Amino acid sequence: PFMLRVSSIVVFALLMSCALPATSAAQPASDAGEFTVIPYLMGAAISGTQTIRGREVDVDLSASDIFSNLEFGAMGAFAARKGNWGFGSDAIWMALGAAGDVGPVSADVDFDQGAFAFYGLRRLSPAADVTFGLRVNYLNGKLALASPIALTVDQSQTWVDPIVGLNLRSPLDRRVFVRVYSEIGGFGLGSTFAWQIFPTVGVNLGRRSSIDLGYRWLDIDYETGEGNERFAYDTLTQGPVLGFT
């Protein structure tokens, strides 16, 4: 149904606000600066529940359903390191939309969402980093009814999640290498709780570039408001990730 599909778009927009963590090369700590740029793409399937204005719906959405509603998307990460310390950021901006008829009513639904992560990192060993920071999640939705009446409704939601993670890796100077990123966040300060597990296998294309293929599991439990103003979702998103580093 059209309204269920619209609700599924909202879930996707919120879930994709959890950004892919940036990583940097596992070389011995030195005074030389290291810089990493990662454009990436994720194909996600989503399952769980979503509550909008007190009304809960079940969501079971495939990656093909999500991409059919994608109007524009941009994803990328950056990290800088000197010695054992560094910082990074990760930005996602997506525009999703759906249009259709609900009985005699013609409707157009658009959602813009952004996720902006800022974090520090500390090298624990050549095989491990710890990350810590926060992520600002933003969502704006607009529903426009064209006929038989003209009506436009806007709603936005913004929250901040503290995040802490651990990145483990095999030596990155090999032809093929493995990384495993795990993360928890929210802690009741933003989301009630959020966790992520993200293993990848990378292939070095040269001294300065690699291509990475992985699979990510991301679970988020967020809610705010009460009664008819309650907004919540408790969902698991999972799917393959392709990145170029």
Side-chain angles (χ1 to χ4, degrees), residues 17-22 76-78 88-92 114-120 133-137 161 163 183:
S17 297
C18 294
L20 181 71
F78 169 81
S89 64
D90 193 357
I92 294 179
F116 309 96
F118 307 92
Y119 59 89
L134 57 84
R135 179 174 296 114
V136 180
N137 303 293
D161 282 335
I163 53 176
E183 175 187 284

Side-chain angles (χ1 to χ4, degrees), residues 5 63-71 97:
R5 186 160 67 99
S64 61
D65 293 330
I66 292 171
F67 282 110
S68 68
N69 293 312
L70 180 64
E71 296 177 340

Side-chain angles (χ1 to χ4, degrees), residues 63-153:
S64 61
D65 293 330
I66 292 171
F67 282 110
S68 68
N69 293 312
L70 180 64
E71 296 177 340
F72 174 79
M75 307 175 185
F78 169 81
R81 182 203 300 268
K82 188 172 183 180
N84 288 324
W85 292 91
F87 67 92
S89 64
D90 193 357
I92 294 179
W93 183 262
M94 300 189 70
L96 301 104
D101 296 326
V102 182
V105 180
S106 177
D108 187 7
V109 182
D110 291 291
F111 286 92
D112 296 327
Q113 72 89 30
F116 309 96
F118 307 92
Y119 59 89
L121 60 89
R122 175 66 163 85
R123 190 195 306 264
L124 301 179
S125 74
D129 289 334
V130 63
T131 63
F132 48 91
L134 57 84
R135 179 174 296 114
V136 180
N137 303 293
Y138 169 80
L139 173 67
N140 177 260
K142 181 173 70 172
L143 171 63
L145 303 178
S147 62
I149 58 173
L151 176 65
T152 300
V153 179

Side-chain angles (χ1 to χ4, degrees), residues 4-196:
L4 178 58
R5 186 160 67 99
V6 170
S7 179
S8 299
I9 295 174
V10 181
V11 176
F12 171 67
L14 290 171
L15 286 173
M16 288 303 293
S17 297
C18 294
L20 181 71
T23 58
S24 56
Q27 300 173 354
S30 69
D31 291 333
E34 301 173 13
F35 303 92
T36 305
V37 178
I38 311 174
Y40 62 88
L41 180 66
M42 179 178 180
I46 302 170
S47 60
T49 59
Q50 158 106 43
T51 302
I52 300 177
R53 296 198 180 278
R55 297 187 177 184
E56 182 178 296
V57 295
D58 294 325
V59 177
D60 187 4
L61 194 63
S62 69
S64 61
D65 293 330
I66 292 171
F67 282 110
S68 68
N69 293 312
L70 180 64
E71 296 177 340
F72 174 79
M75 307 175 185
F78 169 81
R81 182 203 300 268
K82 188 172 183 180
N84 288 324
W85 292 91
F87 67 92
S89 64
D90 193 357
I92 294 179
W93 183 262
M94 300 189 70
L96 301 104
D101 296 326
V102 182
V105 180
S106 177
D108 187 7
V109 182
D110 291 291
F111 286 92
D112 296 327
Q113 72 89 30
F116 309 96
F118 307 92
Y119 59 89
L121 60 89
R122 175 66 163 85
R123 190 195 306 264
L124 301 179
S125 74
D129 289 334
V130 63
T131 63
F132 48 91
L134 57 84
R135 179 174 296 114
V136 180
N137 303 293
Y138 169 80
L139 173 67
N140 177 260
K142 181 173 70 172
L143 171 63
L145 303 178
S147 62
I149 58 173
L151 176 65
T152 300
V153 179
D154 289 283
Q155 185 177 16
S156 63
Q157 189 71 39
T158 302
W159 74 96
V160 178
D161 282 335
I163 53 176
V164 60
L166 181 65
N167 190 38
L168 305 175
R169 56 184 171 261
S170 64
L172 299 187
D173 57 355
R174 308 287 175 83
R175 176 65 174 173
V176 178
F177 55 89
V178 177
R179 287 189 285 233
V180 178
Y181 181 81
S182 58
E183 175 187 284
I184 56 176
F187 310 114
L189 301 176
S191 299
T192 302
F193 189 69
W195 61 265
Q196 177 178 183

